[in-house]
Amino acid sequence: MKLELGKIKINDIQFSDKTYVENHILYVNKEEVEKLVLEDDKLIGCSLDIARPGEKTRITPVKDVIEPRVKVSGGEMFPGVIGKVSPTVGSGRTHALDGCCVITVGRIVGFQEGVIDMSGPAAEYCPFSGTVNLCVVIEPKEGLETHVYEKAGRMAGLKVAAFLGETARNLEPDTLEVFETKPIFEQAAMYPDLPKIGYVHMLQSQGLLHDTYYYGVDAKQFVPTFMYPTEIMDGAIVSGNCVAPCDKVTTYHHFHNPVIEDCYKHHGKDINFMGVILTNENVFLADKERHSDMVAKLAEWMQLDGVLITEEGYGNPDTDLMMNCRKVERKGVKVVLITDEFPGKDGKSQSLADTCEEATALASCGQGNATLQFPVMDKIIGTMEYIESQIGGWAGCVNEDGSFEAEIQIIIASTIANGFNKLAARGY
C-alpha cells in the first residue's frame, strides 16, 4: 500500500460566518458545528471553545483528541464508523490539518478521563498543549447509560473532525510525505540484507468503556491479523475507551503512531519494516493464550528477525504483553517492549503487573505515579468538579483556589505506552 499524506499547517483557529482555511488559519462557523453535533438526540447541548498554546487554560474531562483530515482519494475517513468500509484506507491521498485538533470534552463518562493544561508545569507532559484546539463541549441527556454516552461523544468528535477536514480537500499541502509497504514477499525481497522488523500493536479491548474500533469493529471481536502500517496512519483505527489518561491512545495517536513513523524513518536504511501484527488485550486467560499464540505464529510466518511490542493501559494488559513477548521470543524472533510503569508514589512497588524471563529489552515511557502541582488557570473548558475522582486525583487534592495536586497519570498522554511522550527511565 502506498499513501500520500499532505499536511496543511494550521497556526490558529478563529470563529467566522463560514468554515474554511486561509493563510494557515482555520475559520469555523460555530452554529454549523454545533448543529452537526446535536443531530444526535442523545446530546442536548454543545458549545465550542478554542484553546491555544501558552494560554492559562485547562481542558477536562477530555474524551478524545482527533486531527481533522480528509481522504482525497482511496476510501473515506473513519471507515466503518463514519465512512464506507470499502475500499480500505491506507492508500491514495489524504490531507491533514496539521497543528490543530478537535478535543471532545464534557461531563465525565468514567473516572479515567483526563486533563490538558495549555500552559504551566503540566503542559510539558502533554503534546496537545502545543496544538491549537477546537474543544467540543457536549451535554448528554439525563439517564443515559455510560456506554451510550461514550458512543455519542466519540461520534461527535469524529463527525466534527471529518467536517473540518473537508476544508483541506482542494488545498495545496505545505508538505507531502509518501509511505509505502509492499505485499510481504515483495517487501522481503527489497532489502534482503537488512533485518526484517515488525510491530505488534496491542489495542485496548477489555470492554466496559475499554474499547477500540478497527474498521468499525470492536477490537475484542477479532483475532490477531496483519495490517499495512499505512492503514493505521490513515484512520482505520479509532479510540473508544476511557483508560487511564496517561495511557490513553487517542484517535490522534493512531494517526501518528510513533513506532510506525520511526520504523518508516529507518526503513531501507538499517531495517526492512515488514508491517504490523494487530492484536488486542483480553480479559479471560483462554483468550490471552489463544491470541498470543496467534501473534507468535504470524511473527514466525512473516519470518521476522525482530519486533517491537506496545500495549495500551496497564495492570491486566501487562499479562498480554508478556505472553506476546515470551511466545514470539521462543519462535526465534527478538523482542523489544515499549511500555510505561506504575511503581507507586515512592517508586518502590513492582513497575509492571507481570513479567517473564524473555523480557530482556524494554524501553520505558516513564512512571505515572509521580505527583505534580497543577496551578490555578484563568479559564476552564469543561468542569473541574470531577478532579478528585479522576484517576490520579484523590479526595481532598483540590484546593479552594482551584489549584490541585495529582499524579501525572491524570494528564492525557503523559506516559503513553507507545512512546509519544517526553518521559523515559534508565535502568541500572
Side-chain angles (χ1 to χ4, degrees), residues 98 149 227 287:
D98 180 40
Y149 175 28
M227 281 193 83
D287 293 324

Side-chain angles (χ1 to χ4, degrees), residues 17-57:
D17 58 355
K18 63 178 182 177
T19 301
Y20 64 103
V21 171
E22 187 173 82
N23 296 326
H24 302 290
I25 297 174
L26 172 62
Y27 295 93
V28 178
N29 182 308
K30 289 179 68 172
E31 290 72 25
E32 275 186 321
V33 174
E34 290 168 357
K35 182 179 178 181
L36 177 67
V37 171
L38 293 177
E39 288 176 353
D40 188 336
D41 62 6
K42 297 175 186 63
L43 300 177
I44 58 173
C46 174
S47 61
L48 302 185
D49 212 328
I50 299 168
R52 298 179 177 89
E55 295 179 337
K56 294 186 70 174
T57 298

Side-chain angles (χ1 to χ4, degrees), residues 172-401:
E172 186 63 31
D174 297 302
T175 61
L176 185 66
E177 299 175 277
V178 179
F179 303 90
E180 185 174 17
T181 298
K182 295 182 180 295
I184 191 164
F185 299 121
E186 290 182 46
Q187 190 59 63
M190 282 193 70
Y191 304 105
D193 297 326
L194 296 179
K196 296 186 290 295
I197 303 300
Y199 170 36
V200 177
H201 186 14
M202 295 169 52
L203 300 183
Q204 178 56 247
S205 59
Q206 295 174 291
L208 299 176
L209 304 179
H210 287 54
D211 300 305
T212 309
Y213 295 88
Y214 161 79
Y215 283 100
V217 175
D218 191 325
K220 64 176 170 285
Q221 297 178 2
F222 71 71
V223 295
T225 187
F226 172 84
M227 281 193 83
Y228 285 98
T230 54
E231 293 178 86
I232 299 170
M233 300 173 75
D234 206 23
I237 299 174
V238 301
S239 175
N241 62 65
C242 304
V243 298
C246 61
D247 265 343
K248 181 179 174 67
V249 180
T250 68
T251 299
Y252 179 98
H253 289 105
H254 287 299
F255 283 143
H256 295 280
N257 185 297
V259 176
I260 291 174
E261 291 187 355
D262 282 359
C263 282
Y264 269 127
K265 289 176 183 176
H266 288 269
H267 179 59
K269 300 173 184 176
D270 45 20
I271 68 169
N272 188 353
F273 184 29
M274 299 296 294
V276 178
I277 297 172
L278 191 71
T279 188
N280 51 19
E281 298 170 355
N282 296 285
V283 175
F284 297 106
L285 180 59
D287 293 324
K288 293 177 184 291
E289 294 283 13
R290 179 185 303 114
H291 287 225
S292 54
D293 283 345
M294 292 180 180
V295 166
K297 180 172 66 175
L298 281 167
E300 181 183 40
W301 171 75
M302 293 170 69
Q303 298 185 350
L304 297 176
D305 297 302
V307 299
L308 298 109
I309 307 179
T310 64
E311 66 175 329
E312 181 177 10
Y314 59 83
N316 187 290
D318 292 346
T319 299
D320 302 80
L321 182 71
M322 293 302 163
M323 282 186 172
N324 286 326
C325 175
R326 182 175 66 250
K327 294 178 182 181
V328 172
E329 277 271 357
R330 289 180 178 179
K331 293 292 186 181
V333 182
K334 296 297 183 183
V335 173
V336 174
L337 303 176
I338 304 173
T339 186
D340 53 359
E341 304 177 61
F342 294 86
K345 291 181 183 179
D346 60 5
K348 295 180 180 179
S349 299
Q350 183 170 313
S351 293
L352 299 173
D354 199 1
T355 187
C356 66
E357 63 181 16
E358 291 82 3
T360 57
L362 184 147
S364 172
C365 301
Q367 73 108 331
N369 295 131
T371 59
L372 188 72
Q373 294 290 335
F374 292 73
V376 176
M377 291 287 165
D378 293 339
K379 181 179 180 181
I380 305 297
I381 299 177
T383 176
M384 286 270 294
E385 67 178 289
Y386 302 104
I387 292 293
E388 294 187 0
S389 59
Q390 286 171 250
I391 195 164
W394 58 84
C397 72
V398 180
N399 301 314
E400 288 187 7
D401 63 359

